[in-house]
Amino acid sequence: MPYTAEISRANPSCIVILIDQSGSMEDPFGQGAGKRKADGVADAVNRLLQNLVIKCAKSEGIRDYYHVAVMGYGERGVGSVFSGVLSGKELIPISEIANNPARVEQRNKKVDDGAGGIIDQKIKFPVWIDPVYKGGTPMCEALRQAKRLVSSWLHQHTGCFPPIVINITDGEATDGDPEDTAEQLRRMSSEDGNVLLFNLHISSSNHAPIEFPDSENMLPDDYARLLFRMSSQLPDYMWTMVQEEGIIISDNPRGFVFNADLVSVIRFLTIGTRPSNLR
Amino acid sequence: MKLSYRVFWMPKAGLSTEEYEDAFAPQEIPEKDLKEFRCAVSDGATETSFSGLWAKILCEAFLENSSDRAALQALWLKEVSGKNLPWYAEEKLEAGAFASFLGLYLKEEKKTISWTANAVGDSCLFLIREKKILLAMPLDRWESFDYTPALISTKETSNAGLEKEEKRESGIARRGDIFYLMTDAISKWLLRREEEHKDAIEQLEKIETAEELKTLVDEQRQSKDEQGRTLMTNDDITWTRIAL
């Protein structure tokens, strides 16, 4: 049965995040004075890294269940987006990420005061990546780079839980048609199943998000249909997680969200990287 | 009452004994007539930190008949705090530790042995009579194990509604009865193998040494059913056996 391999220190898995850093990422989520897409995505990815680190933290330290790369694509082509001492590094063990945030910010979190009110609580917010928004959208090259990282990973980890690649974008590729490269990426596999490629399309419009569609026909335009075709079908364990989140989905949904708002960005990243079988 | 008490335990495959996060108590018992007897097992949640310590605290408190959860939480906090921890360890501590709990209490009065068991989570008690499972609790179907169980937390705010989740059973035991207290992976295996008439109890009753259990567990962890699922989940194993 695919997607059942244990994720352990002896048999780690890998996650590759691709972030669109093109000029249009400066626009806000939704219309009006919302948060800039680039800021929202940077926060969501920092939060994702934080959650992954915490998941891998045990009494004795960090267990390297994952190796993670965060690659950006925009004006300067495709490259690692880590800031600080990790700058320029691609696929690295989660312990290296844990111990090297670029900085740890203090942020406010609204919490229940236990007496019916809400108070601000100061929390530590480690930052690894900063928002960038400039230039075009070289998505084809980004997928090729992901393919390179994943291919070399699979070469050394033949029995691993299949690598997960999450592409976060707000626009069409400016360097060609990404469909073939996406298919080549999805065709790569470990003994436990094919690489999972998920696409998260974020939007400046106020249209409601379309989460986990199961057919092209329900999508509004060619671009949405292209991203749909580029996305893997959700494996069974993830299907169950989506159901548990209370999202109604059909039997064959793809790992794809169209017109995502910030809530569905965060939700998608959480579901898409939640492990089924950590040891 | 005279009883035989044995404990078998082993960590997940690929992990060291120091990384075993189940717990049990007592470690051993005196060889003499007992008026009453208590034992417990607990399974510290893998995704939380210092959960093995929490499991141990819960088991040892049960032997002392201590139900003051706040005192136990304070004890856990005292043991884990005061260290200079990196940001993620601090945050992990903040989330607290979680563990299942299963306790068995036996008491002899006027030559009758009564038993009471209470459980939170998916560690299971089995009452074995004449090589058959007479009773399994809190779960009695192997299919029920894949859901997230209710667990006891070191953070009281995470324990809301826990009382509703606590299961309790009691009864009168007979001479020759055997109780098993097991954490989830071996409980699930036992229920499934018995349902499929694979004589799991017979296999377990032949086991005398840790080495023999390891042989069985290694084999079951590696064997797969027709759907490719392993027969026994790779998890910490704890099995205490109390024979009257």
Side-chain angles (χ1 to χ4, degrees):
Chain A
M1 207 158 71
Y3 306 109
T4 51
E6 282 180 344
I7 301 176
S8 66
R9 283 165 290 181
N11 192 31
S13 188
C14 95
I15 296 174
V16 176
I17 312 274
L18 304 175
I19 302 177
D20 181 344
Q21 297 185 315
S22 63
S24 55
M25 289 293 285
E26 190 178 4
D27 300 335
F29 275 97
Q31 283 165 350
K35 197 170 196 168
R36 279 194 304 220
K37 286 182 284 188
D39 292 341
V41 167
D43 279 354
V45 171
N46 282 319
R47 186 75 206 171
L48 163 71
L49 293 173
Q50 181 179 7
N51 288 339
L52 274 180
V53 166
I54 289 167
K55 212 157 257 171
C56 299
K58 289 296 292 176
S59 323
E60 76 283 358
I62 301 285
R63 291 185 182 173
D64 279 327
Y65 292 128
Y66 294 102
H67 288 226
V68 181
V70 188
M71 308 287 280
Y73 53 101
E75 189 196 24
R76 285 184 294 179
V78 182
S80 166
V81 296
F82 286 125
S83 303
V85 291
L86 299 180
S87 173
K89 293 202 173 186
E90 294 181 335
L91 206 49
I92 49 173
I94 193 73
S95 58
E96 198 174 339
I97 293 176
N99 291 313
N100 295 291
R103 58 189 183 277
V104 179
E105 293 180 359
Q106 290 271 354
R107 296 212 180 168
N108 288 326
K109 181 182 167 189
K110 305 248 181 259
V111 292
D112 186 345
D113 69 354
I118 299 287
I119 50 167
D120 276 336
Q121 187 187 39
K122 291 224 177 307
I123 55 159
K124 286 183 180 168
F125 190 85
V127 173
W128 291 271
I129 69 161
D130 288 300
V132 176
Y133 36 83
K134 210 166 184 187
T137 310
M139 193 191 297
C140 297
E141 181 56 22
L143 290 167
R144 275 194 289 275
Q145 294 293 335
K147 223 178 85 189
R148 173 180 61 81
L149 294 174
V150 166
S151 161
S152 128
W153 173 265
L154 285 170
H155 195 65
Q156 292 162 43
H157 302 86
T158 50
C160 72
F161 185 92
I164 295 172
V165 180
I166 300 182
N167 176 34
I168 307 172
T169 177
D170 77 333
E172 296 181 36
T174 51
D175 62 347
D177 181 349
E179 195 168 351
D180 281 350
T181 317
E183 191 185 340
Q184 289 161 21
L185 189 53
R186 289 196 318 275
R187 274 206 194 143
M188 291 198 286
S189 62
S190 75
E191 288 152 14
D192 190 45
N194 284 76
V195 169
L196 294 168
L197 172 61
F198 299 141
N199 286 287
L200 188 47
H201 168 261
I202 55 178
S203 165
S204 294
S205 79
N206 283 332
H207 293 294
I210 303 173
E211 294 178 295
F212 309 105
D214 69 346
S215 145
E216 281 188 42
N217 304 333
M218 61 201 290
L219 297 168
D221 55 44
D222 284 349
Y223 175 57
R225 287 191 278 274
L226 169 72
L227 286 176
F228 172 87
R229 290 195 299 275
M230 283 167 55
S231 306
S232 304
Q233 194 175 317
L234 285 189
D236 288 351
Y237 83 95
M238 236 179 241
W239 187 90
T240 310
M241 286 174 187
V242 175
Q243 293 278 21
E244 282 172 0
E245 289 285 322
I247 305 171
I248 308 294
I249 49 172
S250 70
D251 288 344
N252 299 303
R254 300 277 181 117
F256 170 44
V257 183
F258 192 67
N259 276 337
D261 52 20
L262 194 50
V263 173
S264 44
V265 170
I266 293 165
R267 186 154 72 173
F268 185 89
L269 289 179
T270 309
I271 293 169
T273 57
R274 195 183 296 160
S276 65
N277 199 6
L278 271 196
R279 183 179 86 200
Chain B
M1 71 187 135
K2 280 200 169 147
L3 53 85
S4 132
Y5 174 72
R6 287 200 314 216
V7 183
F8 297 95
W9 63 275
M10 56 186 284
K12 298 178 182 83
L15 267 67
S16 67
T17 51
E18 288 76 32
E19 291 171 327
Y20 164 79
E21 291 176 308
D22 284 357
F24 57 87
Q27 300 299 308
E28 52 190 32
I29 60 165
E31 277 188 40
K32 61 170 191 182
D33 246 358
L34 301 165
K35 282 285 158 219
E36 53 179 21
F37 170 75
R38 289 171 171 274
C39 65
V41 301
S42 169
D43 175 358
T46 306
E47 285 206 11
T48 64
S49 190
F50 298 102
S51 58
L53 171 67
W54 178 230
K56 185 163 166 268
I57 289 173
L58 289 173
C59 287
E60 286 172 357
F62 182 75
L63 296 194
E64 305 295 323
N65 195 19
S66 156
S67 56
D68 180 359
R69 196 157 63 212
L72 303 181
Q73 289 164 337
L75 181 61
W76 178 84
L77 194 63
K78 191 172 151 225
E79 294 257 343
V80 299
S81 47
K83 298 172 179 148
N84 192 11
L85 296 170
W87 68 268
Y88 46 81
E90 262 181 38
E91 188 135 341
K92 193 97 180 183
L93 271 190
E94 187 62 30
F98 290 77
S100 73
F101 177 78
L102 170 65
L104 172 68
Y105 173 59
L106 299 174
K107 187 174 184 182
E108 184 171 34
E109 264 177 331
K110 296 175 190 158
K111 299 204 169 165
T112 300
I113 300 173
S114 59
W115 64 269
T116 307
N118 56 305
V120 175
D122 54 5
S123 296
C124 291
L125 174 122
F126 298 91
L127 171 53
I128 315 283
R129 188 172 288 170
E130 289 158 8
K131 295 191 175 168
K132 292 268 175 294
I133 298 174
L134 187 71
L135 176 139
M137 66 83 70
L139 303 179
D140 59 3
R141 287 164 47 85
W142 66 269
E143 295 94 336
S144 309
F145 281 83
D146 293 330
Y147 298 93
T148 317
L151 298 171
I152 306 176
S153 175
T154 54
K155 271 182 82 120
E156 202 45 34
T157 46
S158 301
N159 286 331
L162 198 62
E163 276 63 34
K164 274 196 303 200
E165 301 290 341
E166 183 166 349
K167 304 281 187 297
R168 190 176 280 269
E169 295 274 357
S170 56
I172 303 296
R174 288 191 205 161
R175 183 119 324 259
D177 279 354
I178 303 170
F179 291 95
Y180 292 168
L181 276 66
M182 292 175 153
T183 48
D184 57 341
I186 191 168
S187 296
K188 179 183 174 184
W189 173 82
L190 173 57
L191 283 167
R192 182 168 178 198
R193 299 295 276 181
E194 280 299 292
E195 184 185 296
E196 293 169 354
H197 308 292
K198 297 276 169 47
D199 301 326
I201 291 172
E202 212 151 287
Q203 275 180 293
L204 290 172
E205 284 299 304
K206 282 187 196 145
I207 288 172
E208 297 280 340
T209 64
E211 199 46 48
E212 286 166 1
L213 178 75
K214 186 174 181 310
T215 305
L216 174 72
V217 168
D218 285 347
E219 182 191 291
Q220 299 298 310
R221 279 173 178 171
Q222 279 158 24
S223 312
K224 291 185 176 173
D225 65 11
E226 56 284 352
Q227 284 157 312
R229 297 176 296 195
T230 50
L231 298 183
M232 192 186 287
T233 313
N234 182 17
D235 197 353
D236 290 342
I237 298 276
T238 304
W239 166 34
T240 68
R241 179 186 181 276
I242 302 100
L244 296 172

mmCIF file with all atom_site columns, all heavy atoms in Angstrom, chain A residues 111-124:
data_model
loop_
_atom_site.group_PDB
_atom_site.id
_atom_site.type_symbol
_atom_site.label_atom_id
_atom_site.label_alt_id
_atom_site.label_comp_id
_atom_site.label_asym_id
_atom_site.label_entity_id
_atom_site.label_seq_id
_atom_site.pdbx_PDB_ins_code
_atom_site.Cartn_x
_atom_site.Cartn_y
_atom_site.Cartn_z
_atom_site.occupancy
_atom_site.B_iso_or_equiv
_atom_site.pdbx_formal_charge
_atom_site.auth_seq_id
_atom_site.auth_comp_id
_atom_site.auth_asym_id
_atom_site.auth_atom_id
_atom_site.pdbx_PDB_model_num
ATOM 1  N N   . VAL A 1 111 ? -5.124  35.310 22.973 1.00 0.00 ? 111 VAL A N   1
ATOM 2  C CA  . VAL A 1 111 ? -5.502  34.077 23.663 1.00 0.00 ? 111 VAL A CA  1
ATOM 3  C C   . VAL A 1 111 ? -6.642  34.334 24.649 1.00 0.00 ? 111 VAL A C   1
ATOM 4  O O   . VAL A 1 111 ? -6.853  35.448 25.115 1.00 0.00 ? 111 VAL A O   1
ATOM 5  C CB  . VAL A 1 111 ? -4.315  33.441 24.444 1.00 0.00 ? 111 VAL A CB  1
ATOM 6  C CG1 . VAL A 1 111 ? -3.251  32.923 23.506 1.00 0.00 ? 111 VAL A CG1 1
ATOM 7  C CG2 . VAL A 1 111 ? -3.715  34.435 25.427 1.00 0.00 ? 111 VAL A CG2 1
ATOM 8  N N   . ASP A 1 112 ? -7.342  33.268 24.957 1.00 0.00 ? 112 ASP A N   1
ATOM 9  C CA  . ASP A 1 112 ? -8.426  33.277 25.920 1.00 0.00 ? 112 ASP A CA  1
ATOM 10 C C   . ASP A 1 112 ? -7.832  33.575 27.306 1.00 0.00 ? 112 ASP A C   1
ATOM 11 O O   . ASP A 1 112 ? -6.856  32.950 27.711 1.00 0.00 ? 112 ASP A O   1
ATOM 12 C CB  . ASP A 1 112 ? -9.034  31.862 25.893 1.00 0.00 ? 112 ASP A CB  1
ATOM 13 C CG  . ASP A 1 112 ? -10.278 31.751 26.747 1.00 0.00 ? 112 ASP A CG  1
ATOM 14 O OD1 . ASP A 1 112 ? -10.508 32.660 27.562 1.00 0.00 ? 112 ASP A OD1 1
ATOM 15 O OD2 . ASP A 1 112 ? -10.998 30.753 26.578 1.00 0.00 ? 112 ASP A OD2 1
ATOM 16 N N   . ASP A 1 113 ? -8.401  34.544 28.022 1.00 0.00 ? 113 ASP A N   1
ATOM 17 C CA  . ASP A 1 113 ? -7.853  34.843 29.356 1.00 0.00 ? 113 ASP A CA  1
ATOM 18 C C   . ASP A 1 113 ? -8.464  33.961 30.445 1.00 0.00 ? 113 ASP A C   1
ATOM 19 O O   . ASP A 1 113 ? -8.175  34.125 31.629 1.00 0.00 ? 113 ASP A O   1
ATOM 20 C CB  . ASP A 1 113 ? -8.028  36.334 29.687 1.00 0.00 ? 113 ASP A CB  1
ATOM 21 C CG  . ASP A 1 113 ? -9.494  36.703 29.909 1.00 0.00 ? 113 ASP A CG  1
ATOM 22 O OD1 . ASP A 1 113 ? -10.374 35.827 29.702 1.00 0.00 ? 113 ASP A OD1 1
ATOM 23 O OD2 . ASP A 1 113 ? -9.755  37.857 30.271 1.00 0.00 ? 113 ASP A OD2 1
ATOM 24 N N   . GLY A 1 114 ? -9.307  33.028 30.027 1.00 0.00 ? 114 GLY A N   1
ATOM 25 C CA  . GLY A 1 114 ? -9.897  32.105 30.996 1.00 0.00 ? 114 GLY A CA  1
ATOM 26 C C   . GLY A 1 114 ? -11.082 32.701 31.726 1.00 0.00 ? 114 GLY A C   1
ATOM 27 O O   . GLY A 1 114 ? -11.693 32.051 32.584 1.00 0.00 ? 114 GLY A O   1
ATOM 28 N N   . ALA A 1 115 ? -11.422 33.956 31.430 1.00 0.00 ? 115 ALA A N   1
ATOM 29 C CA  . ALA A 1 115 ? -12.549 34.601 32.118 1.00 0.00 ? 115 ALA A CA  1
ATOM 30 C C   . ALA A 1 115 ? -13.471 35.279 31.106 1.00 0.00 ? 115 ALA A C   1
ATOM 31 O O   . ALA A 1 115 ? -14.082 36.312 31.387 1.00 0.00 ? 115 ALA A O   1
ATOM 32 C CB  . ALA A 1 115 ? -12.022 35.604 33.140 1.00 0.00 ? 115 ALA A CB  1
ATOM 33 N N   . GLY A 1 116 ? -13.513 34.723 29.928 1.00 0.00 ? 116 GLY A N   1
ATOM 34 C CA  . GLY A 1 116 ? -14.433 35.243 28.916 1.00 0.00 ? 116 GLY A CA  1
ATOM 35 C C   . GLY A 1 116 ? -13.864 36.362 28.062 1.00 0.00 ? 116 GLY A C   1
ATOM 36 O O   . GLY A 1 116 ? -14.559 36.909 27.208 1.00 0.00 ? 116 GLY A O   1
ATOM 37 N N   . GLY A 1 117 ? -12.628 36.729 28.302 1.00 0.00 ? 117 GLY A N   1
ATOM 38 C CA  . GLY A 1 117 ? -12.016 37.810 27.520 1.00 0.00 ? 117 GLY A CA  1
ATOM 39 C C   . GLY A 1 117 ? -10.859 37.308 26.666 1.00 0.00 ? 117 GLY A C   1
ATOM 40 O O   . GLY A 1 117 ? -10.490 36.146 26.711 1.00 0.00 ? 117 GLY A O   1
ATOM 41 N N   . ILE A 1 118 ? -10.340 38.240 25.878 1.00 0.00 ? 118 ILE A N   1
ATOM 42 C CA  . ILE A 1 118 ? -9.200  37.903 25.015 1.00 0.00 ? 118 ILE A CA  1
ATOM 43 C C   . ILE A 1 118 ? -8.038  38.812 25.407 1.00 0.00 ? 118 ILE A C   1
ATOM 44 O O   . ILE A 1 118 ? -8.226  40.019 25.563 1.00 0.00 ? 118 ILE A O   1
ATOM 45 C CB  . ILE A 1 118 ? -9.558  38.158 23.524 1.00 0.00 ? 118 ILE A CB  1
ATOM 46 C CG1 . ILE A 1 118 ? -10.729 37.289 23.089 1.00 0.00 ? 118 ILE A CG1 1
ATOM 47 C CG2 . ILE A 1 118 ? -8.351  37.969 22.615 1.00 0.00 ? 118 ILE A CG2 1
ATOM 48 C CD1 . ILE A 1 118 ? -10.414 35.829 22.898 1.00 0.00 ? 118 ILE A CD1 1
ATOM 49 N N   . ILE A 1 119 ? -6.864  38.238 25.578 1.00 0.00 ? 119 ILE A N   1
ATOM 50 C CA  . ILE A 1 119 ? -5.695  39.073 25.892 1.00 0.00 ? 119 ILE A CA  1
ATOM 51 C C   . ILE A 1 119 ? -4.578  38.790 24.889 1.00 0.00 ? 119 ILE A C   1
ATOM 52 O O   . ILE A 1 119 ? -4.567  37.753 24.237 1.00 0.00 ? 119 ILE A O   1
ATOM 53 C CB  . ILE A 1 119 ? -5.162  38.823 27.327 1.00 0.00 ? 119 ILE A CB  1
ATOM 54 C CG1 . ILE A 1 119 ? -4.986  37.313 27.564 1.00 0.00 ? 119 ILE A CG1 1
ATOM 55 C CG2 . ILE A 1 119 ? -6.067  39.436 28.370 1.00 0.00 ? 119 ILE A CG2 1
ATOM 56 C CD1 . ILE A 1 119 ? -4.201  36.983 28.803 1.00 0.00 ? 119 ILE A CD1 1
ATOM 57 N N   . ASP A 1 120 ? -3.633  39.722 24.782 1.00 0.00 ? 120 ASP A N   1
ATOM 58 C CA  . ASP A 1 120 ? -2.472  39.526 23.933 1.00 0.00 ? 120 ASP A CA  1
ATOM 59 C C   . ASP A 1 120 ? -1.395  38.789 24.713 1.00 0.00 ? 120 ASP A C   1
ATOM 60 O O   . ASP A 1 120 ? -1.060  39.169 25.828 1.00 0.00 ? 120 ASP A O   1
ATOM 61 C CB  . ASP A 1 120 ? -1.900  40.883 23.481 1.00 0.00 ? 120 ASP A CB  1
ATOM 62 C CG  . ASP A 1 120 ? -2.653  41.408 22.266 1.00 0.00 ? 120 ASP A CG  1
ATOM 63 O OD1 . ASP A 1 120 ? -3.242  40.585 21.541 1.00 0.00 ? 120 ASP A OD1 1
ATOM 64 O OD2 . ASP A 1 120 ? -2.657  42.635 22.055 1.00 0.00 ? 120 ASP A OD2 1
ATOM 65 N N   . GLN A 1 121 ? -0.888  37.734 24.095 1.00 0.00 ? 121 GLN A N   1
ATOM 66 C CA  . GLN A 1 121 ? 0.207   37.030 24.731 1.00 0.00 ? 121 GLN A CA  1
ATOM 67 C C   . GLN A 1 121 ? 1.418   37.162 23.810 1.00 0.00 ? 121 GLN A C   1
ATOM 68 O O   . GLN A 1 121 ? 1.288   37.018 22.600 1.00 0.00 ? 121 GLN A O   1
ATOM 69 C CB  . GLN A 1 121 ? -0.170  35.556 24.888 1.00 0.00 ? 121 GLN A CB  1
ATOM 70 C CG  . GLN A 1 121 ? 0.828   34.762 25.681 1.00 0.00 ? 121 GLN A CG  1
ATOM 71 C CD  . GLN A 1 121 ? 0.498   33.267 25.666 1.00 0.00 ? 121 GLN A CD  1
ATOM 72 O OE1 . GLN A 1 121 ? 0.087   32.719 24.649 1.00 0.00 ? 121 GLN A OE1 1
ATOM 73 N NE2 . GLN A 1 121 ? 0.656   32.620 26.789 1.00 0.00 ? 121 GLN A NE2 1
ATOM 74 N N   . LYS A 1 122 ? 2.585   37.440 24.390 1.00 0.00 ? 122 LYS A N   1
ATOM 75 C CA  . LYS A 1 122 ? 3.786   37.548 23.555 1.00 0.00 ? 122 LYS A CA  1
ATOM 76 C C   . LYS A 1 122 ? 4.281   36.146 23.221 1.00 0.00 ? 122 LYS A C   1
ATOM 77 O O   . LYS A 1 122 ? 4.426   35.312 24.102 1.00 0.00 ? 122 LYS A O   1
ATOM 78 C CB  . LYS A 1 122 ? 4.879   38.317 24.304 1.00 0.00 ? 122 LYS A CB  1
ATOM 79 C CG  . LYS A 1 122 ? 4.558   39.785 24.491 1.00 0.00 ? 122 LYS A CG  1
ATOM 80 C CD  . LYS A 1 122 ? 5.776   40.636 24.176 1.00 0.00 ? 122 LYS A CD  1
ATOM 81 C CE  . LYS A 1 122 ? 5.519   42.125 24.279 1.00 0.00 ? 122 LYS A CE  1
ATOM 82 N NZ  . LYS A 1 122 ? 4.377   42.603 23.504 1.00 0.00 ? 122 LYS A NZ  1
ATOM 83 N N   . ILE A 1 123 ? 4.520   35.896 21.943 1.00 0.00 ? 123 ILE A N   1
ATOM 84 C CA  . ILE A 1 123 ? 5.066   34.593 21.560 1.00 0.00 ? 123 ILE A CA  1
ATOM 85 C C   . ILE A 1 123 ? 6.334   34.787 20.731 1.00 0.00 ? 123 ILE A C   1
ATOM 86 O O   . ILE A 1 123 ? 6.519   35.810 20.096 1.00 0.00 ? 123 ILE A O   1
ATOM 87 C CB  . ILE A 1 123 ? 4.059   33.742 20.756 1.00 0.00 ? 123 ILE A CB  1
ATOM 88 C CG1 . ILE A 1 123 ? 3.560   34.509 19.528 1.00 0.00 ? 123 ILE A CG1 1
ATOM 89 C CG2 . ILE A 1 123 ? 2.898   33.298 21.606 1.00 0.00 ? 123 ILE A CG2 1
ATOM 90 C CD1 . ILE A 1 123 ? 2.999   33.642 18.455 1.00 0.00 ? 123 ILE A CD1 1
ATOM 91 N N   . LYS A 1 124 ? 7.157   33.766 20.755 1.00 0.00 ? 124 LYS A N   1
ATOM 92 C CA  . LYS A 1 124 ? 8.373   33.807 19.933 1.00 0.00 ? 124 LYS A CA  1
ATOM 93 C C   . LYS A 1 124 ? 8.009   33.363 18.523 1.00 0.00 ? 124 LYS A C   1
ATOM 94 O O   . LYS A 1 124 ? 7.314   32.364 18.357 1.00 0.00 ? 124 LYS A O   1
ATOM 95 C CB  . LYS A 1 124 ? 9.425   32.869 20.517 1.00 0.00 ? 124 LYS A CB  1
ATOM 96 C CG  . LYS A 1 124 ? 10.044  33.424 21.764 1.00 0.00 ? 124 LYS A CG  1
ATOM 97 C CD  . LYS A 1 124 ? 11.139  32.525 22.284 1.00 0.00 ? 124 LYS A CD  1
ATOM 98 C CE  . LYS A 1 124 ? 11.732  33.137 23.551 1.00 0.00 ? 124 LYS A CE  1
ATOM 99 N NZ  . LYS A 1 124 ? 12.597  32.216 24.255 1.00 0.00 ? 124 LYS A NZ  1
#
